Amino acid sequence: MSPGNKEETGGEREVMKSHGSRCLFFLGFIVGSCTLYLLQLVWFEHPGLILQPQGAGNTTLSKDWRAEGAALINLRHPKKQGKDSHVADELYKKVRILCWVMTAPKNHQTKALHVKATWSRRCNRVVFMSSVNDPNLPAVGLGTGEGRHKLYWKTIRAFHYILEKHGDEADWFLKADDDTFVAVDNLRWILSNHTPAQPVYFGKHFKLHVKQGFMSGGAGYVLSKEALQRYVKAFSTKMCTHTSPEEDVALARCMEKIGVRPGDSRDTLHRDTFHPLAPEFHLTRKFDKTHWYWMENFHRPAEGPQCCSDLAVSFHYVDSVLMQTLEYFTNHLRPWGYRYRYRPSPPLVGLVGPVKT
């Protein structure tokens, strides 16, 4: 073959590669568009969801919810028709969780709206906390302003509001960000082995800054009723004050002062349930020993598929598309004909009669 033919063949290959790249681009675009379309269908048309479109900017609640001021009250544990959920239904009644979600005005109709339509439906009570009131979400305006330097002020005021307005309506009080996904039923399994009279709180446990460590704010953390009551009282007695804009560290310093201990939220195989990063980071990344996640973990972290419990509770840095995807994978997708591979002991607290798992 002459050099000219070789050059011609090489040119043809470049054209074919370019054509192939364009085909792959358009294929990816089509697949992505279809995925977003299907997610929109799930969000707006799924009969079990809390939101129904009522014109621009307006939403109404389904018959499973009641609005009381800025709080959304769940009237019953959501489940699919015919689904065997008797254990989850019992835990919903016995392990009452109030979820408050930290958000901001710019996120009300984007991030917060997806939290409202997905995992928060499994909380007994839901309250969105922002810097300004928003009756359409709804959200409580805490009057703090926005920005990272205001996070702990928002946390302090939010917990005071929760105890005053809803302290008798729940036993456990979960704080989560508007880009955190939470499997609330899995959280109930963890909490069912404890009593809200204990001064304890749970989350992703890191070991720096505070002697007994701190719980990651992004992964979410949950306080027992006793812990919440001590926390709020500590500000009236001046035992705790606003000491730092670092919300999770500042809260942990107060917890240590008032005798609230960090609980171990790992499963019975010592796998993490709360996760401060998105799922792909925990499942696929290998962390260098100098990486902050490796160095700050209270317990030595596992990597790959063993990083995360089958009964995982939370993931952070979850955008709106991933929020809807995790909702589907967590609460709808099921492999046919298999028993769960991880079958821990039944919950210990508050169930009447034997529990079938």
Side-chain angles (χ1 to χ4, degrees):
M1 184 179 292
S2 67
N5 289 336
K6 288 182 179 178
E7 291 176 3
E8 187 176 22
T9 303
E12 291 173 352
R13 288 174 180 165
E14 291 299 320
V15 171
M16 292 175 66
K17 287 181 180 178
S18 177
H19 179 70
S21 298
R22 285 196 295 271
C23 289
L24 288 174
F25 171 79
F26 286 115
L27 178 61
F29 177 79
I30 291 171
V31 171
S33 299
C34 291
T35 301
L36 288 174
Y37 175 72
L38 290 173
L39 286 174
Q40 287 178 334
L41 288 179
V42 170
W43 180 23
F44 286 110
E45 297 183 9
H46 193 289
L49 292 187
I50 165 179
L51 298 177
Q52 302 294 336
Q54 298 289 323
N58 296 320
T59 57
T60 60
L61 297 176
S62 75
K63 62 183 179 181
D64 295 338
W65 288 79
R66 181 176 74 247
E68 291 185 0
L72 301 177
I73 311 301
N74 196 347
L75 301 180
R76 59 184 178 183
H77 181 255
K79 60 183 177 182
K80 294 181 70 176
Q81 190 68 28
K83 182 179 177 182
D84 184 11
S85 60
H86 62 279
V87 174
D89 292 340
E90 285 298 313
L91 285 180
Y92 171 79
K93 300 172 186 175
K94 302 297 183 180
V95 184
R96 301 180 302 164
I97 300 176
L98 182 147
C99 305
W100 73 266
V101 181
M102 184 182 288
T103 187
K106 66 178 182 179
N107 296 338
H108 289 183
Q109 295 302 312
T110 53
K111 293 181 178 181
L113 204 63
H114 284 276
V115 171
K116 181 179 177 182
T118 57
W119 64 263
S120 68
R121 297 169 51 242
R122 290 165 178 82
C123 305
N124 298 80
R125 303 286 187 270
V126 184
V127 184
F128 289 87
M129 296 292 186
S130 186
S131 55
V132 297
N133 288 312
D134 181 353
N136 291 321
L137 183 55
V140 176
L142 298 170
T144 57
E146 291 296 340
R148 290 193 61 84
H149 62 294
K150 298 293 186 179
L151 291 181
Y152 193 44
W153 274 123
K154 290 175 77 172
T155 302
I156 294 169
R157 294 186 181 182
F159 274 126
H160 278 69
Y161 177 94
I162 290 298
L163 182 61
E164 178 185 351
K165 301 292 186 180
H166 305 288
D168 294 329
E169 299 172 4
D171 308 301
W172 301 90
F173 302 85
L174 169 71
K175 175 266 172 184
D177 291 344
D178 57 15
D179 62 347
T180 303
F181 181 87
V182 181
V184 181
D185 290 321
N186 291 347
L187 177 59
R188 283 197 179 93
W189 166 71
I190 293 173
L191 299 178
S192 67
N193 293 285
H194 301 271
T195 168
Q198 294 175 294
V200 64
Y201 76 129
F202 296 93
K204 175 58 185 176
H205 200 179
F206 288 122
K207 64 184 179 183
L208 300 184
H209 308 301
V210 184
K211 184 177 180 180
Q212 67 179 18
F214 70 97
M215 300 299 181
S216 163
Y221 46 78
V222 57
L223 277 63
S224 68
K225 179 174 287 188
E226 174 65 19
L228 175 62
Q229 291 171 338
R230 291 191 186 192
Y231 178 74
V232 171
K233 183 179 179 180
F235 284 87
S236 62
T237 62
K238 307 299 183 183
M239 183 174 292
C240 292
T241 60
H242 183 285
T243 57
S244 168
E246 298 295 330
E247 159 233 342
D248 44 13
V249 174
L251 182 134
R253 287 176 177 144
C254 181
M255 293 287 108
E256 188 171 72
K257 288 181 180 179
I258 61 180
V260 175
R261 62 179 179 82
D264 188 350
S265 61
R266 295 175 300 165
D267 70 16
T268 55
L269 299 181
H270 293 166
R271 296 176 299 182
D272 280 325
T273 56
F274 288 80
H275 302 92
L277 302 172
E280 63 266 24
F281 282 89
H282 294 282
L283 292 167
T284 66
R285 302 289 180 91
K286 184 173 179 61
F287 295 105
D288 186 87
K289 298 302 186 292
T290 60
H291 192 279
W292 69 266
Y293 181 73
W294 183 276
M295 296 179 66
E296 294 188 17
N297 249 287
F298 194 87
H299 304 285
R300 181 173 179 175
E303 297 173 322
Q306 289 304 311
C307 70
C308 311
S309 172
D310 291 14
L311 296 177
V313 169
S314 70
F315 292 97
H316 189 212
Y317 298 119
V318 175
D319 62 23
S320 58
V321 173
L322 183 55
M323 189 78 69
Q324 296 287 346
T325 304
L326 288 175
E327 170 71 11
Y328 168 71
F329 285 147
T330 302
N331 295 301
H332 300 282
L333 178 65
R334 294 291 184 272
W336 179 257
Y338 291 89
R339 299 175 67 189
Y340 293 112
R341 64 173 183 168
Y342 177 58
R343 298 172 62 81
S345 300
L348 299 180
V349 175
L351 298 183
V352 179
V355 177
K356 300 178 181 178
T357 59

Short mmCIF file of all heavy atoms in Angstrom, two decimals, residues 170-214:
data_model
loop_
_atom_site.label_atom_id
_atom_site.label_comp_id
_atom_site.label_asym_id
_atom_site.label_seq_id
_atom_site.Cartn_x
_atom_site.Cartn_y
_atom_site.Cartn_z
N ALA A 170 -42.81 14.14 68.72
CA ALA A 170 -41.81 13.19 68.24
C ALA A 170 -40.91 12.78 69.39
O ALA A 170 -40.90 13.41 70.45
CB ALA A 170 -40.99 13.79 67.10
N ASP A 171 -40.14 11.72 69.16
CA ASP A 171 -39.20 11.20 70.16
C ASP A 171 -37.75 11.43 69.73
O ASP A 171 -36.85 11.46 70.56
CB ASP A 171 -39.43 9.71 70.36
CG ASP A 171 -40.88 9.39 70.66
OD1 ASP A 171 -41.40 9.90 71.66
OD2 ASP A 171 -41.49 8.63 69.88
N TRP A 172 -37.55 11.56 68.42
CA TRP A 172 -36.22 11.76 67.84
C TRP A 172 -36.30 12.91 66.85
O TRP A 172 -37.32 13.08 66.16
CB TRP A 172 -35.73 10.49 67.15
CG TRP A 172 -35.63 9.31 68.07
CD1 TRP A 172 -36.61 8.39 68.34
CD2 TRP A 172 -34.49 8.93 68.85
NE1 TRP A 172 -36.15 7.47 69.24
CE2 TRP A 172 -34.84 7.76 69.58
CE3 TRP A 172 -33.20 9.44 69.01
CZ2 TRP A 172 -33.97 7.11 70.44
CZ3 TRP A 172 -32.32 8.79 69.86
CH2 TRP A 172 -32.70 7.64 70.56
N PHE A 173 -35.20 13.68 66.74
CA PHE A 173 -35.23 14.92 65.98
C PHE A 173 -34.03 14.96 65.03
O PHE A 173 -32.88 15.12 65.45
CB PHE A 173 -35.23 16.12 66.93
CG PHE A 173 -36.42 16.08 67.88
CD1 PHE A 173 -36.36 15.35 69.06
CD2 PHE A 173 -37.59 16.75 67.56
CE1 PHE A 173 -37.46 15.29 69.92
CE2 PHE A 173 -38.69 16.70 68.41
CZ PHE A 173 -38.63 15.97 69.59
N LEU A 174 -34.32 14.78 63.75
CA LEU A 174 -33.29 14.66 62.71
C LEU A 174 -33.07 15.99 62.03
O LEU A 174 -34.02 16.64 61.58
CB LEU A 174 -33.72 13.63 61.66
CG LEU A 174 -32.87 13.57 60.38
CD1 LEU A 174 -31.51 12.95 60.66
CD2 LEU A 174 -33.61 12.80 59.28
N LYS A 175 -31.80 16.40 61.93
CA LYS A 175 -31.43 17.55 61.12
C LYS A 175 -30.76 17.05 59.85
O LYS A 175 -29.86 16.20 59.89
CB LYS A 175 -30.47 18.47 61.90
CG LYS A 175 -29.93 19.64 61.07
CD LYS A 175 -28.60 19.33 60.42
CE LYS A 175 -28.18 20.43 59.45
NZ LYS A 175 -26.92 20.08 58.72
N ALA A 176 -31.20 17.57 58.70
CA ALA A 176 -30.60 17.20 57.42
C ALA A 176 -30.53 18.42 56.52
O ALA A 176 -31.34 19.35 56.67
CB ALA A 176 -31.40 16.08 56.75
N ASP A 177 -29.60 18.43 55.59
CA ASP A 177 -29.51 19.50 54.60
C ASP A 177 -30.44 19.21 53.43
O ASP A 177 -30.93 18.08 53.27
CB ASP A 177 -28.07 19.64 54.09
CG ASP A 177 -27.13 20.18 55.15
OD1 ASP A 177 -27.62 20.73 56.16
OD2 ASP A 177 -25.90 20.04 54.97
N ASP A 178 -30.65 20.22 52.58
CA ASP A 178 -31.54 20.02 51.43
C ASP A 178 -30.87 19.29 50.28
O ASP A 178 -31.48 19.08 49.23
CB ASP A 178 -32.15 21.34 50.96
CG ASP A 178 -31.10 22.39 50.59
OD1 ASP A 178 -29.91 22.02 50.41
OD2 ASP A 178 -31.47 23.58 50.46
N ASP A 179 -29.60 18.89 50.45
CA ASP A 179 -28.94 18.02 49.48
C ASP A 179 -28.51 16.70 50.13
O ASP A 179 -27.55 16.06 49.70
CB ASP A 179 -27.75 18.70 48.81
CG ASP A 179 -26.64 19.09 49.79
OD1 ASP A 179 -26.89 19.05 51.02
OD2 ASP A 179 -25.54 19.44 49.33
N THR A 180 -29.23 16.30 51.17
CA THR A 180 -29.01 15.02 51.85
C THR A 180 -30.20 14.11 51.57
O THR A 180 -31.34 14.54 51.67
CB THR A 180 -28.86 15.22 53.36
OG1 THR A 180 -27.79 16.13 53.62
CG2 THR A 180 -28.57 13.90 54.06
N PHE A 181 -29.90 12.85 51.22
CA PHE A 181 -30.95 11.84 51.07
C PHE A 181 -30.94 10.96 52.31
O PHE A 181 -29.88 10.50 52.75
CB PHE A 181 -30.74 10.98 49.83
CG PHE A 181 -31.81 9.95 49.63
CD1 PHE A 181 -32.97 10.27 48.93
CD2 PHE A 181 -31.70 8.67 50.16
CE1 PHE A 181 -33.99 9.34 48.77
CE2 PHE A 181 -32.71 7.73 49.99
CZ PHE A 181 -33.85 8.07 49.29
N VAL A 182 -32.13 10.69 52.87
CA VAL A 182 -32.24 9.91 54.10
C VAL A 182 -33.22 8.76 53.90
O VAL A 182 -34.34 8.98 53.42
CB VAL A 182 -32.71 10.78 55.29
CG1 VAL A 182 -32.80 9.94 56.56
CG2 VAL A 182 -31.78 11.97 55.49
N ALA A 183 -32.79 7.56 54.24
CA ALA A 183 -33.68 6.39 54.28
C ALA A 183 -34.26 6.32 55.69
O ALA A 183 -33.67 5.71 56.59
CB ALA A 183 -32.94 5.12 53.92
N VAL A 184 -35.40 6.95 55.90
CA VAL A 184 -35.95 7.16 57.24
C VAL A 184 -36.31 5.83 57.91
O VAL A 184 -36.13 5.66 59.12
CB VAL A 184 -37.17 8.10 57.18
CG1 VAL A 184 -37.73 8.33 58.59
CG2 VAL A 184 -36.79 9.43 56.55
N ASP A 185 -36.83 4.88 57.14
CA ASP A 185 -37.18 3.58 57.74
C ASP A 185 -35.96 2.87 58.29
O ASP A 185 -36.04 2.18 59.32
CB ASP A 185 -37.88 2.70 56.71
CG ASP A 185 -39.27 3.21 56.37
OD1 ASP A 185 -39.97 3.66 57.30
OD2 ASP A 185 -39.66 3.17 55.20
N ASN A 186 -34.81 3.01 57.64
CA ASN A 186 -33.57 2.42 58.16
C ASN A 186 -33.12 3.13 59.43
O ASN A 186 -32.59 2.50 60.36
CB ASN A 186 -32.47 2.47 57.10
CG ASN A 186 -32.73 1.53 55.94
OD1 ASN A 186 -33.61 0.67 56.02
ND2 ASN A 186 -31.99 1.69 54.87
N LEU A 187 -33.33 4.44 59.48
CA LEU A 187 -33.01 5.18 60.70
C LEU A 187 -33.87 4.69 61.87
O LEU A 187 -33.38 4.56 62.99
CB LEU A 187 -33.22 6.68 60.47
CG LEU A 187 -33.01 7.59 61.68
CD1 LEU A 187 -31.60 7.45 62.24
CD2 LEU A 187 -33.30 9.04 61.31
N ARG A 188 -35.13 4.40 61.61
CA ARG A 188 -35.99 3.89 62.68
C ARG A 188 -35.47 2.57 63.22
O ARG A 188 -35.60 2.28 64.41
CB ARG A 188 -37.43 3.72 62.17
CG ARG A 188 -38.20 5.01 62.05
CD ARG A 188 -39.69 4.78 61.95
NE ARG A 188 -40.37 6.07 61.86
CZ ARG A 188 -40.68 6.65 60.70
NH1 ARG A 188 -40.41 6.05 59.56
NH2 ARG A 188 -41.28 7.83 60.70
N TRP A 189 -34.93 1.73 62.35
CA TRP A 189 -34.38 0.45 62.82
C TRP A 189 -33.25 0.69 63.83
O TRP A 189 -33.19 0.05 64.88
CB TRP A 189 -33.87 -0.38 61.64
CG TRP A 189 -33.01 -1.53 62.06
CD1 TRP A 189 -33.42 -2.66 62.70
CD2 TRP A 189 -31.58 -1.63 61.93
NE1 TRP A 189 -32.33 -3.48 62.95
CE2 TRP A 189 -31.19 -2.87 62.49
CE3 TRP A 189 -30.60 -0.81 61.38
CZ2 TRP A 189 -29.87 -3.29 62.52
CZ3 TRP A 189 -29.28 -1.24 61.40
CH2 TRP A 189 -28.93 -2.46 61.97
N ILE A 190 -32.37 1.64 63.53
CA ILE A 190 -31.27 1.97 64.45
C ILE A 190 -31.83 2.50 65.77
O ILE A 190 -31.46 2.05 66.86
CB ILE A 190 -30.32 3.00 63.82
CG1 ILE A 190 -29.58 2.39 62.63
CG2 ILE A 190 -29.32 3.53 64.86
CD1 ILE A 190 -28.75 3.40 61.86
N LEU A 191 -32.75 3.45 65.68
CA LEU A 191 -33.27 4.10 66.87
C LEU A 191 -34.15 3.18 67.71
O LEU A 191 -34.30 3.40 68.91
CB LEU A 191 -34.07 5.35 66.47
CG LEU A 191 -33.27 6.42 65.71
CD1 LEU A 191 -34.18 7.58 65.32
CD2 LEU A 191 -32.08 6.91 66.53
N SER A 192 -34.72 2.14 67.09
CA SER A 192 -35.61 1.24 67.83
C SER A 192 -34.88 0.47 68.91
O SER A 192 -35.52 -0.08 69.81
CB SER A 192 -36.28 0.26 66.86
OG SER A 192 -35.32 -0.64 66.31
N ASN A 193 -33.58 0.42 68.85
CA ASN A 193 -32.79 -0.27 69.85
C ASN A 193 -32.32 0.67 70.97
O ASN A 193 -31.46 0.31 71.78
CB ASN A 193 -31.58 -0.95 69.20
CG ASN A 193 -32.00 -2.07 68.28
OD1 ASN A 193 -32.38 -3.14 68.73
ND2 ASN A 193 -31.95 -1.83 66.98
N HIS A 194 -32.87 1.88 70.98
CA HIS A 194 -32.52 2.88 71.99
C HIS A 194 -33.79 3.55 72.48
O HIS A 194 -34.86 3.40 71.90
CB HIS A 194 -31.56 3.92 71.40
CG HIS A 194 -30.29 3.33 70.87
ND1 HIS A 194 -29.17 3.15 71.65
CD2 HIS A 194 -29.98 2.85 69.63
CE1 HIS A 194 -28.22 2.59 70.91
NE2 HIS A 194 -28.67 2.41 69.70
N THR A 195 -33.68 4.29 73.55
CA THR A 195 -34.82 5.02 74.09
C THR A 195 -34.55 6.51 74.00
O THR A 195 -33.41 6.96 74.23
CB THR A 195 -35.09 4.63 75.55
OG1 THR A 195 -36.03 5.55 76.11
CG2 THR A 195 -33.83 4.68 76.39
N PRO A 196 -35.57 7.32 73.68
CA PRO A 196 -35.37 8.78 73.58
C PRO A 196 -35.07 9.43 74.92
O PRO A 196 -34.72 10.61 74.96
CB PRO A 196 -36.70 9.27 72.99
CG PRO A 196 -37.69 8.20 73.30
CD PRO A 196 -36.92 6.91 73.26
N ALA A 197 -35.20 8.67 76.02
CA ALA A 197 -34.83 9.21 77.33
C ALA A 197 -33.32 9.21 77.53
O ALA A 197 -32.83 9.82 78.49
CB ALA A 197 -35.50 8.40 78.43
N GLN A 198 -32.58 8.54 76.65
CA GLN A 198 -31.12 8.56 76.72
C GLN A 198 -30.58 9.88 76.20
O GLN A 198 -31.07 10.39 75.18
CB GLN A 198 -30.51 7.43 75.87
CG GLN A 198 -30.79 6.02 76.34
CD GLN A 198 -30.24 5.01 75.34
OE1 GLN A 198 -30.71 4.92 74.20
NE2 GLN A 198 -29.25 4.25 75.76
N PRO A 199 -29.55 10.46 76.83
CA PRO A 199 -28.90 11.65 76.28
C PRO A 199 -27.89 11.23 75.20
O PRO A 199 -26.69 11.08 75.46
CB PRO A 199 -28.21 12.27 77.49
CG PRO A 199 -27.91 11.10 78.39
CD PRO A 199 -29.02 10.11 78.17
N VAL A 200 -28.37 11.03 73.97
CA VAL A 200 -27.54 10.46 72.92
C VAL A 200 -27.90 11.09 71.59
O VAL A 200 -29.02 11.57 71.39
CB VAL A 200 -27.73 8.92 72.86
CG1 VAL A 200 -29.16 8.56 72.47
CG2 VAL A 200 -26.72 8.26 71.93
N TYR A 201 -26.93 11.15 70.67
CA TYR A 201 -27.24 11.53 69.30
C TYR A 201 -26.40 10.70 68.34
O TYR A 201 -25.34 10.19 68.69
CB TYR A 201 -27.08 13.03 69.08
CG TYR A 201 -25.68 13.61 68.95
CD1 TYR A 201 -25.36 14.44 67.87
CD2 TYR A 201 -24.70 13.41 69.91
CE1 TYR A 201 -24.11 15.02 67.75
CE2 TYR A 201 -23.44 13.98 69.80
CZ TYR A 201 -23.15 14.79 68.71
OH TYR A 201 -21.90 15.35 68.60
N PHE A 202 -26.92 10.52 67.11
CA PHE A 202 -26.32 9.62 66.13
C PHE A 202 -26.03 10.36 64.83
O PHE A 202 -26.72 11.33 64.48
CB PHE A 202 -27.28 8.46 65.83
CG PHE A 202 -27.56 7.57 67.00
CD1 PHE A 202 -28.66 7.79 67.82
CD2 PHE A 202 -26.72 6.50 67.30
CE1 PHE A 202 -28.93 6.97 68.90
CE2 PHE A 202 -26.97 5.67 68.38
CZ PHE A 202 -28.08 5.91 69.19
N GLY A 203 -25.03 9.86 64.11
CA GLY A 203 -24.69 10.41 62.81
C GLY A 203 -23.39 9.80 62.33
O GLY A 203 -22.96 8.75 62.82
N LYS A 204 -22.75 10.45 61.36
CA LYS A 204 -21.44 10.03 60.88
C LYS A 204 -20.38 10.59 61.83
O LYS A 204 -20.19 11.80 61.91
CB LYS A 204 -21.20 10.51 59.46
CG LYS A 204 -19.79 10.21 58.95
CD LYS A 204 -19.46 8.73 58.99
CE LYS A 204 -18.00 8.49 58.58
NZ LYS A 204 -17.62 7.09 58.70
N HIS A 205 -19.67 9.72 62.54
CA HIS A 205 -18.82 10.10 63.65
C HIS A 205 -17.40 10.39 63.17
O HIS A 205 -16.72 9.52 62.62
CB HIS A 205 -18.80 8.96 64.67
CG HIS A 205 -18.37 9.38 66.04
ND1 HIS A 205 -18.31 8.49 67.11
CD2 HIS A 205 -17.97 10.58 66.54
CE1 HIS A 205 -17.91 9.13 68.18
NE2 HIS A 205 -17.69 10.40 67.86
N PHE A 206 -16.95 11.64 63.36
CA PHE A 206 -15.57 12.03 63.11
C PHE A 206 -14.88 12.31 64.45
O PHE A 206 -15.55 12.60 65.45
CB PHE A 206 -15.50 13.26 62.21
CG PHE A 206 -15.88 12.97 60.78
CD1 PHE A 206 -16.92 13.65 60.18
CD2 PHE A 206 -15.20 12.03 60.05
CE1 PHE A 206 -17.27 13.38 58.86
CE2 PHE A 206 -15.53 11.75 58.72
CZ PHE A 206 -16.57 12.43 58.13
N LYS A 207 -13.55 12.27 64.46
CA LYS A 207 -12.83 12.28 65.74
C LYS A 207 -12.08 13.56 66.06
O LYS A 207 -11.52 13.67 67.16
CB LYS A 207 -11.85 11.10 65.78
CG LYS A 207 -10.74 11.18 64.73
CD LYS A 207 -9.87 9.91 64.78
CE LYS A 207 -8.77 9.95 63.74
NZ LYS A 207 -7.96 8.71 63.74
N LEU A 208 -12.02 14.52 65.16
CA LEU A 208 -11.22 15.71 65.42
C LEU A 208 -12.03 16.79 66.13
O LEU A 208 -13.25 16.71 66.25
CB LEU A 208 -10.66 16.27 64.11
CG LEU A 208 -9.74 15.32 63.31
CD1 LEU A 208 -9.20 16.04 62.08
CD2 LEU A 208 -8.60 14.81 64.18
N HIS A 209 -11.32 17.82 66.62
CA HIS A 209 -11.89 19.07 67.15
C HIS A 209 -12.53 18.94 68.53
O HIS A 209 -12.47 19.88 69.31
CB HIS A 209 -12.91 19.66 66.17
CG HIS A 209 -12.41 19.81 64.78
ND1 HIS A 209 -11.31 20.58 64.47
CD2 HIS A 209 -12.84 19.27 63.60
CE1 HIS A 209 -11.09 20.53 63.17
NE2 HIS A 209 -12.00 19.73 62.62
N VAL A 210 -13.19 17.85 68.81
CA VAL A 210 -13.88 17.65 70.09
C VAL A 210 -13.43 16.32 70.67
O VAL A 210 -13.26 15.34 69.94
CB VAL A 210 -15.42 17.66 69.90
CG1 VAL A 210 -16.13 17.56 71.24
CG2 VAL A 210 -15.86 18.92 69.16
N LYS A 211 -13.25 16.26 72.00
CA LYS A 211 -12.72 15.06 72.62
C LYS A 211 -13.53 13.82 72.27
O LYS A 211 -12.97 12.77 71.94
CB LYS A 211 -12.67 15.24 74.14
CG LYS A 211 -12.03 14.06 74.88
CD LYS A 211 -11.94 14.32 76.38
CE LYS A 211 -11.31 13.15 77.10
NZ LYS A 211 -11.21 13.39 78.57
N GLN A 212 -14.86 13.91 72.35
CA GLN A 212 -15.68 12.75 72.04
C GLN A 212 -16.11 12.70 70.57
O GLN A 212 -16.90 11.87 70.16
CB GLN A 212 -16.92 12.70 72.94
CG GLN A 212 -17.92 13.80 72.73
CD GLN A 212 -19.13 13.65 73.65
OE1 GLN A 212 -19.08 12.93 74.66
NE2 GLN A 212 -20.23 14.30 73.31
N GLY A 213 -15.51 13.60 69.76
CA GLY A 213 -15.79 13.61 68.33
C GLY A 213 -17.03 14.42 68.00
O GLY A 213 -17.68 15.00 68.87
N PHE A 214 -17.35 14.49 66.70
CA PHE A 214 -18.52 15.22 66.26
C PHE A 214 -19.22 14.47 65.14
O PHE A 214 -18.63 13.60 64.49
CB PHE A 214 -18.15 16.64 65.80
CG PHE A 214 -17.38 16.70 64.50
CD1 PHE A 214 -18.03 16.94 63.30
CD2 PHE A 214 -15.99 16.52 64.48
CE1 PHE A 214 -17.32 17.01 62.10
CE2 PHE A 214 -15.28 16.59 63.29
CZ PHE A 214 -15.95 16.82 62.10
#
